[in-house]
Amino acid sequence: MRYLIGNWKSYQTISQTQTWLTDFSNAKPKINNRIKLILCAPFTDLAEAKRIIHHYGLQIEVAAQDVSPFEEGKHTGEINAKMLSELTTYCLVGHSERRREFNETSEIVAEKVARLIEANLSPIICLDTPYLEEQIKLLLHKRIPLERCLFVYEPLAAIGSGQPADPFEVEMIAQKISFLTESRCPILYGGSVTPENVISYARHHCVDGVLVGGESLNPAHFVQMMDNLSYES
């Protein structure tokens, strides 16, 4: 199975989500059953995105972009895993932007992963080399079933910079993640992925797909990446 995951970040209103999915449907994409398409949308878009996906019969799943480390309770403004469980089956956690802008630590990320697992959701866990081993060790310490997780190697220098990591370096890091997790979960790459370079990552043995940021906001580019991955699969 290959994964093509789009991360819309803090973009896309409900009306823009409607337009994106309509444009995607109108492109009449030929979706390869060996590729799983996931869109990480803002919380406000999840319900409408699911409705439109069902309406058009699209083979796309939606994912949340974050989750509270707390269970349900007196935590005003927090979106907990139980709330997400009625909207999605996936959730992105540990993105480097949240580590940088919200001071999230590997311990906080591990708590979020634990909440997601309790709610029967699949975490998509982002990693970079400075905290890669620390993060995985914390997950193992909490007895997280890693086979229910996806991991994404996303070097900070490559995110939004237009300077993607070297595919051979990505393969080496993916091999390390595979070793530390005992090959129990898919491993993806994220960071300045484009339709032109997506195959250079997918061709490597330990890389099971990509997490796409800015390019995923353009449905035509997303379709092109899907087509390129389908050709390689």
Side-chain angles (χ1 to χ4, degrees):
M1 178 67 71
R2 298 279 189 180
Y3 293 83
L4 175 57
I5 303 179
N7 176 20
W8 287 350
K9 304 190 179 186
S10 190
Y11 295 101
Q12 302 290 72
T13 62
I14 291 175
S15 59
Q16 288 172 324
T17 296
Q18 294 167 341
T19 300
W20 193 102
L21 289 166
T22 298
D23 289 346
F24 182 89
S25 178
N26 289 340
K28 301 187 185 306
K30 297 179 180 178
I31 299 177
N32 187 326
N33 289 331
R34 295 190 298 274
I35 297 178
K36 183 176 286 292
L37 303 179
I38 302 173
L39 292 174
C40 299
F43 180 74
T44 50
D45 297 344
L46 291 176
E48 181 64 3
K50 283 193 67 174
R51 185 190 70 80
I52 299 173
I53 287 169
H54 177 74
H55 173 74
Y56 287 126
L58 300 174
Q59 292 176 274
I60 302 177
E61 297 193 47
V62 295
Q65 295 181 351
D66 191 33
V67 67
S68 173
F70 302 110
E71 298 176 348
E72 62 180 343
K74 298 177 181 179
H75 310 292
T76 301
E78 289 292 282
I79 307 297
N80 64 58
K82 183 178 180 181
M83 294 172 179
L84 293 178
S85 67
E86 295 184 353
L87 293 169
T88 180
T89 54
Y90 293 93
C91 182
L92 191 69
V93 289
H95 195 282
S96 59
E97 291 166 353
R98 295 203 60 84
R99 289 180 184 265
R100 182 182 67 244
E101 297 170 11
F102 299 94
N103 299 315
E104 286 193 359
T105 63
S106 295
E107 180 63 39
I108 291 173
V109 173
E111 286 294 331
K112 292 184 175 186
V113 171
R115 300 290 82 76
L116 292 170
I117 293 295
E118 289 168 1
N120 202 30
L121 298 173
S122 296
I124 304 170
I125 307 165
C126 296
L127 301 170
D128 195 2
T129 48
Y131 46 80
L132 187 154
E133 292 188 39
E134 173 190 75
Q135 185 68 81
I136 293 175
K137 286 179 181 178
L138 282 167
L139 296 174
L140 291 171
H141 179 71
K142 290 183 177 293
R143 301 183 183 278
I144 298 297
L146 298 184
E147 63 275 6
R148 293 177 57 185
C149 303
L150 289 79
F151 286 90
V152 183
Y153 168 52
E154 52 151 26
L156 183 59
I159 296 173
S161 66
Q163 299 178 344
D166 180 86
F168 292 99
E169 174 195 341
V170 171
E171 171 70 2
M172 291 179 61
I173 299 298
Q175 288 178 2
K176 182 175 182 178
I177 297 173
S178 180
F179 173 76
L180 292 171
T181 59
E182 299 179 342
S183 303
R184 291 158 60 186
C185 47
I187 301 167
L188 288 68
Y189 166 72
S192 296
V193 178
T194 67
E196 292 74 27
N197 66 26
V198 65
I199 291 181
S200 65
Y201 299 105
R203 284 176 176 161
H204 287 275
H205 175 69
C206 285
V207 180
D208 299 297
V210 290
L211 173 68
V212 185
E215 289 287 319
S216 70
L217 294 169
N218 185 320
H221 291 182
F222 200 70
V223 169
Q224 188 177 351
M225 282 186 277
M226 182 195 70
D227 289 343
N228 291 346
L229 284 175
S230 296
Y231 178 79
E232 185 66 21
S233 297

